[in-house]
């Protein structure tokens, strides 16, 4: 049984992203009103515990780090900045960024080296250390890494998607498997860092770390319009990679690759056509895909016939939750009514 609860965020303008932390206890939301709000949603309650203000434009996307590194939240904005927020010990008095004396978040790092809107942020698997990828309308992707002593290092991959980067997703950290022939690259016992990106060039590109840099390993060209979101599935087989994508063309695909025998990606279309589809997201088990369109969220699972079947289509709130495009402008994304975030639980 699926229960849907609505959270009145109190945002004054459009909501662009909502992310639960690793334990599903805290929900972070961001909006065109330039603010980020954090709610405690444990024990069926919905309590605002912090409001973060540091961006000077609409905040597009959020990403929680693995709890190994504490409670860290990354945010990106139209103001061309990435901010990393950290929960800090309470001083006993509420700060300007907190509605509770017991919960405070402060900005510990600001990255401002992109020349246009930063549209997407994604933390890498914790096995790689504290590492964040961010993509921008300037077409480049930056990799921000913590040195462990309070300092951060950055690497930029230029011209990844020249018209603009819309989405990023990391591959799970899986040890490469040796093969009977020439052997799999990286079979030394260390996982090869990979992530997938989607952009306004209508392409999906897969990147891997090589020789202290990043190179394109493959690209997928099934879409014929802007790629709005990509999602690399959590590990469900040590010998299988799986990526989902959605596009402004209304199509959703799942790409798979057998890592033992082939470098070629095969694809399966989900459904037929979606109206104004914005995002895709895998369950932790890697076998159920959520597809968020403008009017509903649908859940899909691979059937015995090799085709994805729709499990259910819980209708979302009437309030719009919109994502940015790589060419978004301040005028096109502000305005509108603030509303509820639907929170589904089984």
């Amino acid at each position: 049984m699926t229960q849907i609860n609505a959270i009145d965020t109190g945002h004054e303008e459009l909501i662009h992203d909502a992310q639960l932390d690793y334990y599903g206890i805290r929900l972070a939301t961001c909006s065109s009103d330039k603010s980020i709000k954090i709610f405690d949603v444990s024990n069926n309650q919905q309590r605002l515990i912090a409001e973060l203000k540091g961006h000077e434009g609409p905040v597009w996307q959020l990403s929680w780090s693995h709890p190994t590194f504490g409670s860290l939240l990354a945010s990106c904005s139209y103001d061309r900045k990435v901010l990393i927020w950290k929960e800090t010990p309470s001083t006993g008095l509420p700060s300007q960024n907190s509605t509770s004396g017991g919960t405070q978040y402060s900005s510990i790092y600001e990255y401002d080296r992109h020349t246009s809107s930063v549209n997407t942020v994604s933390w890498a698997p914790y096995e790689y250390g504290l590492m964040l990828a961010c993509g921008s309308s300037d077409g480049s992707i930056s990799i921000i890494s913590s040195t462990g002593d309070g300092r951060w290092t950055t690497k930029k991959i230029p011209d990844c998607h020249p018209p603009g980067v819309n989405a990023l997703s990391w591959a799970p950290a899986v040890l490469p498997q040796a093969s009977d022939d020439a052997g799999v690259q990286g079979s030394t016992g260390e996982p090869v860092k990979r992530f997938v990106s989607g952009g306004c060039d209508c392409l999906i590109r897969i990147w891997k770390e090589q020789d202290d840099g990043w190179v394109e390993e493959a690209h997928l060209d099934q879409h014929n319009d802007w790629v709005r979101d990509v999602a690399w599935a959590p590990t469900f087989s040590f010998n299988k990679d799986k990526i989902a994508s959605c596009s402004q063309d209304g199509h959703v695909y799942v790409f798979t690759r057998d890592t033992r025998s082939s470098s070629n990606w095969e694809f399966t279309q989900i459904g037929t056509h979606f109206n104004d589809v914005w995002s895709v997201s895998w369950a932790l088990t890697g076998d159920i895909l959520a597809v968020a369109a403008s009017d509903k969220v649908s859940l899909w699972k691979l059937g015995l016939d090799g085709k994805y079947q729709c499990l259910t289509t819980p209708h979302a709130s009437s309030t719009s939750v919109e994502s940015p495009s790589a060419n978004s402008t301040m005028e096109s994304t502000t305005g509108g009514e603030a509303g509820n975030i639907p929170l589904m639980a089984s």
Side-chain angles (χ1 to χ4, degrees):
M1 179 178 180
T2 300
Q3 179 181 356
I4 302 179
N5 296 320
I7 298 177
D8 185 359
T9 64
H11 281 295
E12 297 176 357
E13 298 186 33
L14 289 178
I15 299 167
H16 297 292
D17 196 17
Q19 295 289 335
L20 286 166
D21 70 357
Y22 180 84
Y23 296 112
I25 293 174
R26 291 183 177 178
L27 174 71
T29 63
C30 62
S31 166
S32 280
D33 64 11
K34 308 176 186 178
S35 73
I36 300 165
K37 296 190 179 186
I38 301 177
F39 299 85
D40 182 346
V41 294
S42 61
N43 301 320
N44 294 321
Q45 66 176 349
Q46 299 152 17
R47 181 171 61 92
L48 177 65
I49 59 174
E51 182 173 3
L52 314 181
K53 295 183 178 180
H55 285 292
E56 299 170 358
V59 186
W60 298 135
Q61 199 173 82
L62 305 167
S63 181
W64 289 100
S65 72
H66 191 276
T68 297
F69 307 105
S71 184
L72 294 179
L73 181 69
S75 61
C76 62
S77 169
Y78 179 83
D79 65 8
R80 302 176 292 182
K81 294 179 182 178
V82 174
L83 297 179
I84 298 176
W85 308 84
K86 182 177 181 179
E87 184 177 4
T88 56
S90 172
T91 60
L93 295 174
S95 69
Q96 62 176 357
N97 290 333
S98 175
T99 60
S100 168
T103 305
Q104 296 182 27
Y105 284 82
S106 58
S107 176
I108 61 170
Y109 181 73
E110 177 181 305
Y111 181 72
D112 60 358
R113 298 181 187 176
H114 282 288
T115 59
S116 191
S117 171
V118 183
N119 302 318
T120 180
V121 286
S122 178
W123 288 106
Y126 75 93
E127 292 92 340
Y128 300 153
L130 198 54
M131 180 179 293
L132 181 74
C134 48
S136 169
S137 291
D138 64 16
S140 65
I141 295 172
S142 294
I143 307 296
I144 305 170
S145 304
S146 171
T147 60
D149 58 0
R151 295 181 295 119
W152 300 80
T153 61
T154 61
K155 294 180 181 178
K156 183 175 284 190
I157 313 171
D159 300 322
C160 298
H161 297 271
V165 183
N166 292 333
L168 294 167
S169 180
W170 288 86
V174 178
L175 293 177
Q177 303 295 302
S179 64
D180 294 332
D181 43 26
V184 178
Q185 183 178 0
S187 59
T188 58
E190 295 184 0
V192 178
K193 299 183 181 71
R194 286 185 173 89
F195 66 86
V196 59
S197 63
C200 292
D201 54 2
C202 311
L203 294 176
I204 298 166
R205 300 182 187 271
I206 298 166
W207 307 87
K208 72 174 181 179
E209 188 180 44
Q210 180 176 295
D211 299 329
D212 200 35
W214 293 87
V215 297
E216 181 182 324
E217 183 180 62
H219 71 267
L220 309 173
D221 59 1
Q222 274 65 38
H223 290 294
N224 55 36
D225 208 333
W226 292 2
V227 178
R228 285 179 168 168
D229 199 17
V230 289
W232 202 308
T235 302
F236 73 103
S237 168
F238 287 112
N239 302 313
K240 196 76 96 173
D241 283 330
K242 187 163 61 171
I243 295 171
S245 68
C246 67
S247 166
Q248 193 164 304
D249 61 16
H251 294 151
V252 176
Y253 295 114
V254 171
F255 301 87
T256 57
R257 176 182 66 170
D258 190 325
T259 58
R260 296 170 301 174
S261 59
S262 175
S263 60
N264 296 323
W265 291 83
E266 300 178 351
F267 69 94
T268 301
Q269 184 172 346
I270 305 297
T272 54
H273 185 275
F274 292 84
N275 293 324
D276 207 16
V277 59
W278 282 105
S279 66
V280 287
S281 178
W282 291 102
L284 290 178
T285 52
D287 60 344
I288 297 178
L289 179 69
V291 178
S294 60
D295 56 345
K296 63 186 177 182
V297 176
S298 55
L299 305 178
W300 301 79
K301 186 173 184 178
L302 187 65
L304 296 177
D305 59 357
K307 298 180 180 179
Y308 279 83
Q309 302 171 354
C310 186
L311 300 178
T312 181
T313 55
H315 284 265
S317 164
S318 60
T319 301
S320 297
V321 180
E322 298 188 0
S323 300
S325 69
N327 292 339
S328 294
T329 63
M330 185 79 74
E331 290 76 19
S332 67
T333 55
T334 55
E337 297 180 355
N340 296 336
I341 290 289
L343 189 64
M344 294 182 289
S346 298

